[in-house]
Amino acid sequence: ISRPKAAGAGTAAKMTELILKIIPPEEWEEAEKVRIYYGSEHDTQDGFLHFSMASQLQETIRRHYSGAWAVVIVAVNAAALGSALKFEHSPSRQEDFPHLYGPLELVYEPAERATVISTFCTVPLVEQDFLQPWLEELNAKYGGNASR
C-alpha cells in the first residue's frame, strides 16, 4: 500500500492536472486486485467518485477521515479520465471539486494512458504537512499543479 507507483517508469509524462482520491487501505487493496475502483459507500450514494485538488486535500481529510487509522491518497491524471470527469460546485465548501461519473480504472502503463500516477499511505492528521513533500515530488516528475 505505501509503495509509490509511477506511470511510465523512466518516462517523463507531463501532467497538466492531478486530482487526488482518498481511499481506505482495505478498499484500495481490493481495487488493486481487480484494477478498478467503484467508489466508497458515500460515492455510490452520490452517484460519482469524489476527488480533491491538492489545495482541498487537508480540509477533506479533516472533515471526512480524521477518525481513520490510515488512508491511501491516489494521485490521478485528470486528462486520462475524459468526459466522465466534471468539476462541480460544493455548496458546503464554496469550491469546485472534481467528480468522476464512473469507476476509476487503475491504469499504470503506458504513461500517456495512465490514470494512476502515484499513491501515498498515511495516518490522517498525525503529521501536519505530511503531503507537501510528496506533492512537490509529483510536480518535479510530472509537471502540472499537484501542490496548489
Side-chain angles (χ1 to χ4, degrees):
I1 292 174
S2 61
R3 66 189 184 284
K5 291 190 176 185
T11 340
K14 295 294 178 192
M15 302 298 137
T16 57
E17 195 86 65
L18 293 178
I19 58 174
L20 303 162
K21 178 67 179 153
I22 306 164
I23 303 174
E26 58 278 1
E27 288 182 22
W28 181 245
E29 287 176 7
E30 286 302 311
E32 282 193 304
K33 289 177 189 173
V34 295
R35 297 293 212 211
I36 196 163
Y37 181 66
Y38 291 100
S40 67
E41 185 177 320
H42 180 130
D43 293 329
T44 302
Q45 289 172 351
D46 287 347
F48 55 82
L49 275 66
H50 293 264
F51 285 82
S52 295
M53 301 300 296
S55 62
Q56 301 164 326
L57 195 63
Q58 294 270 17
E59 181 63 15
T60 300
I61 290 171
R62 188 190 70 75
R63 285 179 180 227
H64 303 287
Y65 296 92
S66 62
W69 68 272
V71 294
V72 176
I73 301 167
V74 182
V76 174
N77 172 10
L81 302 178
S83 63
L85 181 68
K86 311 280 185 217
F87 285 80
E88 298 175 315
H89 189 71
S90 167
S92 66
R93 297 268 299 266
Q94 294 299 310
E95 296 181 80
D96 291 338
F97 281 82
H99 296 154
L100 180 62
Y101 286 86
L104 173 62
E105 293 184 47
L106 279 54
V107 178
Y108 300 98
E109 300 283 342
E112 60 275 2
R113 287 191 46 246
T115 56
V116 176
I117 303 303
S118 184
T119 60
F120 184 89
C121 188
T122 189
V123 177
L125 303 177
V126 170
E127 301 172 40
Q128 289 300 312
D129 293 322
F130 67 91
L131 197 56
Q132 199 58 38
W134 179 62
L135 294 171
E136 289 171 1
E137 181 182 333
L138 288 175
N139 272 340
K141 276 183 163 178
Y142 303 104
N145 59 11
S147 63
R148 27 170 228 185

